[in-house]
Amino acid sequence: MCIFVGFPDPSFCIDIPLASAVVFGFSHATQGTASVLFIIPFGLAFQFLYQLSGGLLLPIVTHFVYNTGVNIFFAKQILKEAKQDERSDD
């Protein structure tokens, strides 16, 4: 699926799923520039889930579950490092 923009050539088109995934990636730029490239494939995957399910519920739930898992993982890492720092201070 694409939008014909007519520039620089009348037959030039922009791929909507790819453009949307790039915007999704750049919307996460506050997490660092490297994360933008890492997140673009997630945008494509969420679009696939949207097409598969016919709605936004599945991509939203998947995004929530992924974010929750990442937050739990990093919270455990932060707590582990804090405990090690406490032990080294003693």
Side-chain angles (χ1 to χ4, degrees), residues 48-82:
F48 173 74
L49 292 175
Y50 170 77
Q51 294 293 328
L52 184 68
S53 67
L56 288 173
L57 185 60
L58 183 58
I60 290 172
V61 169
T62 304
H63 193 288
F64 172 79
V65 169
Y66 174 79
N67 284 353
T68 301
V70 167
N71 288 333
I72 289 170
F73 173 78
F74 282 112
K76 287 181 180 180
Q77 292 294 104
I78 290 168
L79 290 173
K80 182 179 177 182
E81 290 174 11

